[in-house]
Structure formats: C-alpha cells, structure tokens
Amino acid sequence: MPNAVPQYSKEADPGKERTRHTIIDVARLTREQKQPHVLITAFSLLAKEFPDWDLEFWGVDPGDGSYQKYLSDLVGKLGLNDRVFFRGVTTDVLSVYLNSDIFAIPSSFEGFGLAMTEAMSAGLPAVGFKSCDAVNEIIRDEVSGFLTDDGPEAYAEALRKLMADPMLRKKMGHAAKLEMEEFSPERVWDEWEKLLSKLVQNKKQ
C-alpha cells in the first residue's frame, strides 16, 4: 500500500524563463543511501555548459557532520562554491518546489521516496537511477522524468536533456503532477478501507 501524497493546488513552472535555474535534492545527507556526492559530480560535468544553473541540497547530515564536510570539500575542489548550496532544513518545502526546475534523487535505494513524490505532485520533473527500487516504480522514464544508468556520467546526461529544454521540463513536470493523483489521500485511504473491510469479512466467515 503506498503512502498518501499531498495534492497541491499550486503548480511549479519549470519551463519559466529565469535569471537562474535550480536543481534541488531534498533528503538527508547520507553517503550510502542518498548519494549527494554523485549528484555533485554529475552537476560538475554540466556547470560550464549551463552557467545559469545552480544545485541546492535541502537536508542535513544526521551523523557527526563528517560527510557534510566531505561534500563541502568536494564542492570546493570542483570550483563550485558559488553554484552548489547546502540550505539546511525548511518548514515551507512547497515554496522550495515551486521555485525550482528539476528534482534530483540520486539514491541507491528507497522505501517510497516521499520528497520525490511531493516534488512531482508540485509539478517538477524528476531524475533518478533505474536501479533504485521505488524510484524506478514512480518515475515514468521519458514521461514524468528520466531513469538513468548508475554513475554520475549517465546522471549528467539525463539532467542535460532537461536543463537544455524548458518545454520538456514543463511537459514532464505537468505529467508528474497528474501521475501523483494516483497517490492522493482519498484514493489511498479508500484502498485501506477496502482492505480492512475485506479482512473483517474474511474473519466473519
């Protein structure tokens, strides 16, 4: 049974002309699961080609902070201190979605990917790995985003397609929003009610 996903009345406009465009990743900063270092490396392959794009991480290192220091050092080593930002936490994540252009989820594994589905429900196209369970069941490749082979090079190619084409971002973002209606609270609770009713009936028999 899936999680319920908020159905936002507002929709992002990832095809909008802006002074600066933004790729976001909303997740804990963890090496093995969330893999933000892979996203930073992928972005570094595109930074010169797309000088009006930035990368933002929303989330914190739940450990001792050593991994976040590693990420900060990596950003500096790649010369991206003015392009990659660690924003910490927010109590208004919808505003983050609405003011962004692409949602990136470079995870190696997921249970459901709630931040991803929320971003898609807000109208953002998403990019994830085809090897990542849950992600590969929610993103429809070339419809609501892209599923890529493992590694920063393949991930960069998927990002490039969206970064270079505002109409594609808009089309895929709108498709993502429509597809997230499948996980609306009303539908999910209805499925739970059907399941519980069936269990009660079976127990009475």
Side-chain angles (χ1 to χ4, degrees):
M1 198 72 71
N3 289 346
V5 176
Q7 303 296 299
Y8 300 118
S9 58
K10 295 180 179 180
E11 182 173 353
D13 186 0
K16 182 179 179 180
E17 184 175 345
R18 311 176 195 267
T19 303
R20 302 208 62 77
H21 297 279
T22 308
I23 300 167
I24 58 167
D25 181 1
V26 179
R28 301 183 313 280
L29 301 178
T30 60
R31 182 189 297 270
E32 300 301 326
Q33 181 185 2
K34 302 297 185 179
Q35 304 189 124
H37 60 281
V38 175
L39 177 54
I40 291 170
T41 304
F43 183 74
S44 73
L45 302 175
L46 304 168
K48 288 184 179 179
E49 183 179 351
F50 298 96
D52 57 339
W53 281 78
D54 297 323
L55 172 61
E56 293 185 352
F57 290 95
W58 290 86
V60 296
D61 180 349
D64 60 7
S66 59
Y67 180 56
Q68 186 159 349
K69 183 181 184 305
Y70 165 80
L71 294 174
S72 296
D73 290 345
L74 177 61
V75 169
K77 180 181 178 181
L78 294 170
L80 297 173
N81 284 322
D82 60 342
R83 305 282 300 281
V84 178
F85 305 97
F86 298 93
R87 300 299 194 192
V89 298
T90 178
T91 57
D92 186 10
V93 71
L94 177 57
S95 291
V96 173
Y97 298 145
L98 294 177
N99 289 288
S100 303
D101 301 279
I102 299 170
F103 186 86
I105 180 165
S107 299
S108 59
F109 62 93
E110 286 288 342
F112 181 72
L114 186 57
M116 174 186 65
T117 55
E118 288 178 346
M120 293 173 72
S121 184
L124 290 182
V127 177
F129 287 121
K130 63 176 67 173
S131 63
C132 182
D133 291 340
V135 169
N136 59 21
E137 296 174 9
I138 294 173
I139 298 174
R140 271 217 295 160
D141 191 29
E142 299 187 2
V143 176
S144 56
F146 288 107
L147 293 170
T148 84
D149 292 329
D150 290 345
E153 293 81 8
Y155 204 93
E157 284 305 309
L159 289 175
R160 176 183 279 113
K161 292 175 184 177
L162 286 169
M163 294 164 77
D165 192 337
M167 292 308 297
L168 182 63
R169 295 196 301 272
K170 188 178 184 72
K171 177 183 177 181
M172 287 188 166
H174 186 64
K177 183 174 180 62
L178 293 178
E179 293 204 345
M180 290 307 100
E181 291 178 0
E182 175 185 350
F183 306 111
S184 68
E186 294 80 11
R187 293 189 183 186
V188 172
W189 305 146
D190 186 52
E191 289 301 312
W192 272 109
E193 186 175 0
K194 289 178 182 177
L195 175 60
L196 294 173
S197 295
K198 184 177 180 179
L199 291 174
V200 170
Q201 286 298 117
N202 289 342
K203 189 173 183 179
K204 288 180 178 179
Q205 293 175 358

